[in-house]
């Protein structure tokens, strides 16, 4: 598991799951994509094998809160490098929970793909299902030629179902079979950022955009090595993006912005061409470059979380709309 994927899963494992239907959608998808139903001598058990400790603990906690069942949680060594995977199992209450989350239908038959309650559920349910699928079998590849947010699916039906949920969230995807497995992946940079936001990985969106900008800057510098103004154009674009995000954050949060974050945001808007060091020197008391960057990051994260809760465009959505309009001929 790459460091970038692990950091996304760390963040997703801590997302608040306050809506009951969304919690059920996440539970069902975690079990479907990480294991599933096991029937032995007529007895039904649910089991999920996960490679991320936080995901395993989250699944156990979600089941406990939703159904008052305490699943077993086992750590199993795998391979010779000290790696582990984690098994979450529901034995005695397996059939009851399977029916409640929709993995067994009214006739007692296992459901293929994802339950109808998720496929036809709300956008919040769709986002929760994607969160569960990513925690189970997801990966985020760094920006570049092969950049992708990818989920390995247990079968064709599950791949189609997960793709349909992405379509409901207005996020372009691709369902395919590769290397002997069914996969759903999202490859466009803006679409990856949108899905991370939908799943609740707001810090990961910021990190993804930073890596994406760094890669774009590197690529541009390589292609335009003979043009001295290449980095200047990229820096100017980054400054525009930073100002757009801060302005949108202020719109979303209104008066609920802590004073230290408001000061950093206002200076960013007032002095868009300043480096973070210069912005820090303007503040009272003076702040370091890392402190300024952290305040701006927290401001955007707070705003994106609030926007996700309210179902309104995030700061990232506003930047993407700005880029779309700028790249559309004849549109102002």
């Amino acid at each position: 598991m790459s460091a970038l994927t692990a950091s996304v899963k760390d963040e997703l494992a801590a997302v608040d799951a306050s809506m009951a239907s969304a919690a059920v959608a996440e539970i069902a998808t975690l079990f479907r994509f990480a294991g599933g139903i096991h029937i032995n001598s007529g007895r039904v058990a649910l089991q999920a094998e996960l490679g991320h400790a936080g995901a395993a603990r989250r699944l156990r906690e979600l089941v406990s809160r939703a159904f008052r069942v305490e699943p077993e949680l086992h750590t199993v060594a795998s391979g010779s490098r000290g790696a582990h995977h984690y098994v979450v199992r529901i034995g005695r209450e397996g059939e009851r929970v399977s029916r409640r989350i929709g993995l067994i239908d009214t006739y007692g038959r296992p459901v293929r793909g994802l339950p109808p309650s998720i496929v036809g559920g709300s956008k919040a349910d769709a986002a929760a299902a994607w969160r569960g699928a990513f925690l189970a079998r997801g990966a985020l590849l760094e920006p570049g030629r092969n950049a992708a947010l990818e989920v390995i699916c247990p079968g064709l039906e599950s791949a189609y179902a997960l793709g349909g949920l992405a379509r409901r969230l207005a996020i372009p995807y691709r369902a395919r079979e590769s290397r002997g497995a069914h996969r759903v992946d999202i490859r466009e940079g803006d679409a990856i950022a949108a899905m991370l936001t939908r799943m609740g990985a707001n810090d990961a969106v910021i990190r993804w955009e930073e890596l994406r900008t760094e890669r774009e800057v590197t690529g541009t510098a390589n292609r335009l090595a003979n043009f001295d103004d290449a980095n200047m154009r990229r820096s100017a674009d980054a400054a525009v993006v930073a100002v757009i995000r801060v302005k949108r954050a202020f719109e979303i949060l209104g008066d609920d912005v802590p004073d230290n974050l408001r000061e950093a945001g206002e200076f960013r808007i007032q002095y868009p061409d300043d480096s973070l060091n210069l912005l820090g020197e303007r503040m009272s008391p003076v702040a370091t470059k890392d402190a300024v960057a952290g305040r701006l990051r927290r401001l955007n994260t707070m705003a994106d979380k609030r926007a996700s809760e309210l179902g309104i465009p995030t700061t990232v959505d506003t930047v993407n709309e700005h880029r779309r309009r700028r790249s559309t001929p004849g549109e102002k």
Side-chain angles (χ1 to χ4, degrees):
M1 183 186 304
S2 70
L4 184 58
T5 297
S7 67
V8 175
K9 292 190 177 186
D10 287 342
E11 186 175 2
L12 293 181
V15 171
D16 180 35
S18 55
M19 294 180 57
S21 63
V24 169
E26 186 174 343
I27 292 169
T29 311
L30 270 161
F31 275 118
R32 165 61 73 228
F33 279 68
I37 298 172
H38 297 260
I39 302 177
N40 186 11
S41 301
R43 299 185 64 181
V44 177
L46 273 173
Q47 183 168 304
E49 296 186 14
L50 299 157
H52 184 269
R57 290 192 295 268
R58 178 178 179 82
L59 177 55
R60 186 184 188 192
E61 181 181 349
L62 287 174
V63 171
S64 176
R65 284 165 45 188
F67 305 113
R68 297 187 178 181
V69 172
E70 292 297 330
E72 304 169 24
L73 175 57
H74 304 285
T75 303
V76 181
S78 58
S80 58
R81 297 184 178 180
H84 295 84
H85 67 270
Y86 307 88
V87 178
V88 180
R89 179 178 174 82
I90 304 174
R92 189 172 52 131
E93 297 285 345
E95 182 172 358
R96 178 174 73 88
V97 175
S98 296
R99 289 180 181 276
R100 292 284 300 277
I101 63 178
L103 294 185
I104 291 181
D105 65 18
T106 55
Y107 299 100
R109 299 172 302 193
V111 171
R112 301 176 68 88
L114 289 174
S117 59
I118 299 176
V119 173
S122 66
K123 288 185 177 180
D125 296 342
W130 259 92
R131 183 165 57 245
F134 189 90
L135 285 170
R137 292 291 182 268
L140 179 61
L141 307 183
E142 290 196 5
R145 180 178 300 176
N146 298 317
L149 189 157
E150 179 182 80
V151 175
I152 298 176
C153 305
L156 181 63
E157 297 88 350
S158 298
Y160 282 157
L162 192 65
L165 296 178
R167 186 185 308 113
R168 177 177 307 159
L169 296 173
I171 296 175
Y173 71 95
R174 180 177 63 169
R176 61 193 177 93
E177 187 174 359
S178 173
R179 302 190 298 277
H182 295 281
R183 302 167 187 268
V184 174
D185 59 31
I186 300 169
R187 302 191 67 86
E188 296 179 10
D190 292 345
I192 291 172
M195 181 57 81
L196 289 171
T197 301
R198 287 286 193 176
M199 291 191 298
N202 295 303
D203 288 344
V205 174
I206 296 171
R207 179 57 180 155
W208 167 261
E209 291 290 354
E210 289 173 348
L211 290 171
R212 185 180 174 192
T213 300
E214 289 172 6
R215 182 60 62 94
E216 289 177 354
V217 169
T218 302
T220 300
N222 289 337
R223 290 191 301 270
L224 304 177
N226 296 324
F227 294 87
D228 292 337
D229 63 341
N231 285 338
M232 292 177 61
R233 292 200 303 271
R234 181 59 57 190
S235 297
D237 182 68
V240 170
V241 168
V243 169
I244 290 173
R245 293 196 71 186
V246 169
K247 287 182 177 179
R248 178 58 181 159
F250 282 167
E251 292 174 0
I252 295 169
L253 296 172
D255 295 331
D256 296 334
V257 180
D259 290 342
N260 62 330
L261 305 189
R262 182 177 294 279
E263 180 186 39
E266 288 175 345
F267 275 119
R268 178 76 286 173
I269 294 171
Q270 188 174 356
Y271 305 103
D273 297 326
D274 275 9
S275 66
L276 294 177
N277 280 326
L278 286 176
L279 286 183
E281 292 173 4
R282 294 181 184 277
M283 294 182 182
S284 180
V286 172
T288 64
K289 169 185 175 180
D290 290 340
V292 176
R295 292 174 191 177
L296 293 173
R297 185 163 54 248
R298 289 197 299 275
L299 173 64
N300 290 329
T301 299
M302 285 178 60
D304 287 339
K305 183 177 180 182
R306 176 75 61 82
S308 296
E309 293 171 350
L310 297 175
I312 60 177
T314 64
T315 65
V316 175
D317 293 333
T318 304
V319 170
N320 293 340
E321 178 63 15
H322 167 78
R323 285 173 171 164
R324 185 190 68 79
R325 290 184 177 182
R326 190 175 59 180
S327 63
T328 301
E331 184 173 342
K332 296 182 179 180

